[in-house]
Amino acid sequence: MRAGVIHHASGVRRAKPLVVRGGLARTFGGLAGFIAVTFLCWGLYILEDAFANPLEAGAAPVISAAFIIALAAMLLFFFIKPRKRSRIRRAE
C-alpha cells in the first residue's frame, strides 16, 4: 500500500448543493403533469357528455367540468411558467 496524499475533487463539484438544485417542479413534475392531463381529460369527458345530451344534463355537471378544467389549466400554468431568479445574487 502506498502512502500518499488523498486528493479530493473539489473543483468538480457544482456551485449549488443537491438540496438547492432539487425543486418542486423537478421533484413532483411528472406527477403534477399526469394529474393535470387527467383532470383535463376528465373535464372534457364530462363536457362532451353534456353536449351530447343537452336536455338531460343539468347545471351541476357543466359547472363541475368547468371547475375541473380550470384546475387543470392552473396546474399546467404553474408547472410550465419560468421560475423567478433567486433574490440573492453572487458577488461578482
Side-chain angles (χ1 to χ4, degrees):
M1 201 177 198
R2 293 183 356 190
V5 180
I6 299 174
H7 295 284
H8 295 285
S10 61
V12 179
R13 288 190 200 162
R14 295 183 181 236
K16 293 182 184 179
L18 185 61
V19 174
V20 175
R21 282 185 287 164
L24 285 175
R26 274 186 193 255
T27 307
F28 299 111
L31 182 62
F34 175 74
I35 289 174
V37 169
T38 302
F39 280 170
L40 189 62
C41 291
W42 187 26
L44 290 175
Y45 176 75
I46 294 172
L47 269 184
E48 185 270 330
D49 187 42
F51 281 129
N53 303 317
L55 296 177
E56 297 172 3
V62 175
I63 293 173
S64 64
F67 177 75
I68 291 170
I69 291 172
L71 183 64
M74 285 190 298
L75 276 172
L76 286 174
F77 173 74
F78 285 117
F79 181 65
I80 294 174
K81 81 172 187 170
R83 293 186 341 180
K84 292 182 181 179
R85 297 200 183 251
S86 65
R87 293 182 184 177
I88 302 170
R89 293 189 178 185
R90 291 186 197 174
E92 294 182 16

